[in-house]
Amino acid sequence: GENVEQHPSTLSVQEGDSAVIKCTYSDSASNYFPWYKQELGKGPQLIIDIRSNVGEKKDQRIAVTLNKTAKHFSLHITETQPEDSAVYFCAARYQGSYKLIFGSGTRLLVRP
Amino acid sequence: GAGVSQSPSNKVTEKGKDVELRCDPISGHTALYWYRQSLGQGLEFLIYFQGNSAPDKSGLPSDRFSAERTGGSVSTLTIQRTQQEDSAVYLCASSLIAGQNTGELFFGEGSRLTVL
C-alpha cells in the first residue's frame, strides 16, 4: 500500500526565514499531493495541493514542488511569521481512490 | 453548523469498556473518513466511506474497531473492549467527491479518547 515519509519531524526557524518540509511517497500511481496545517486543538486544514501533471504551484508565501521521477514533494514557506507555527502534514492519494495517506507531520516553530 | 461536527469532544473510559464516537459530516458531502492521531504522531487512516460503495476498512487496527454510516450521513466509530493503546484523538473528515474536484478533506476538531 501507499506509504508517505515526512522530514523533518521538528523545524525551528527565525521569523522572516524560509522553511522547507520534504516528503517521499512509495506508489508511483499516486497523483494528488495536498498539504494540511494543524493548529493546536484543531483539525487539519488544507493549505495547498498539487496534482501529478504539475511540477510547482505557488500561493503567496507558500509553494509546493513535485518530482515525480524521484517521488518527492516539498512545501516551501517564505518570509515565515509566528502564525505559521503549527504542525504540517503532507499526504498522497492513489490514482482511482479518494483515500488520503498522510505523513507523520512536521512541527514548525517560528521564533519572533 | 457549516463544519464537520464530532462528539464527544473528550471521552475518558476504563479499560475493557466499549465507546462510540460520532461524526456529523458537512451536508451533501459524499465521502467520510476516520483517522486516528496518537499523541505527537501523524494521521493514521482507519476507514473511508464513499456514497453507497462498500467502505474501505483497510486501516482498522483490529476487529475491536468498527464503523458505520447510516443514510449516507452520520457515522459512528465503535471501539469494543478498549485498551490503553487506543488512547488518541479520533478525527473525522468529509469530502465532496464530484467530477474533477480535488476532494479536499474538511476535518472536525476530533474526539479525544483516554483509556485508563
Side-chain angles (χ1 to χ4, degrees), chain A residues 47-67:
Chain A
I47 55 171
I48 194 167
D49 56 17
I50 191 167
R51 293 184 182 272
S52 58
N53 59 350
V54 176
E56 182 176 1
K57 183 176 178 180
K58 290 185 72 173
D59 183 3
Q60 300 183 357
R61 295 186 298 108
I62 59 174
V64 57
T65 58
L66 172 66
N67 181 330

Side-chain angles (χ1 to χ4, degrees), chain A residues 7-54:
Chain A
H7 301 280
S9 57
T10 60
L11 180 60
S12 180
V13 299
Q14 194 71 38
E15 181 177 0
D17 287 351
S18 295
V20 180
I21 303 170
K22 299 182 178 182
C23 288
T24 60
Y25 59 98
S26 60
D27 196 326
S28 56
S30 296
N31 65 352
Y32 174 65
F33 308 93
W35 287 86
Y36 282 75
K37 175 183 180 182
Q38 185 178 31
E39 297 178 339
L40 197 60
K42 304 284 188 182
Q45 281 193 301
L46 179 70
I47 55 171
I48 194 167
D49 56 17
I50 191 167
R51 293 184 182 272
S52 58
N53 59 350
V54 176

Side-chain angles (χ1 to χ4, degrees), chain B residues 26-110:
Chain B
I26 293 172
S27 178
H29 279 193
T30 55
L32 187 146
Y33 306 74
W34 284 98
Y35 287 87
R36 178 168 69 176
Q37 186 172 30
S38 300
L39 186 63
Q41 301 300 309
L43 302 171
E44 177 189 4
F45 169 79
L46 297 178
I47 189 169
Y48 158 58
F49 297 89
Q50 164 56 10
N52 295 320
S53 302
D56 181 338
K57 304 180 182 179
S58 58
L60 294 179
S62 77
D63 59 9
R64 295 187 297 105
F65 288 72
S66 63
E68 62 178 24
R69 187 178 186 193
T70 53
S73 180
V74 171
S75 178
T76 302
L77 176 69
T78 302
I79 309 172
Q80 296 179 308
R81 305 182 302 281
T82 52
Q83 304 294 312
Q84 289 183 331
E85 59 263 29
D86 299 335
S87 297
V89 175
Y90 290 82
L91 288 162
C92 175
S94 71
S95 176
L96 177 63
I97 305 297
Q100 292 299 306
N101 77 26
T102 61
E104 175 183 353
L105 268 60
F106 293 85
F107 283 87
E109 296 197 340

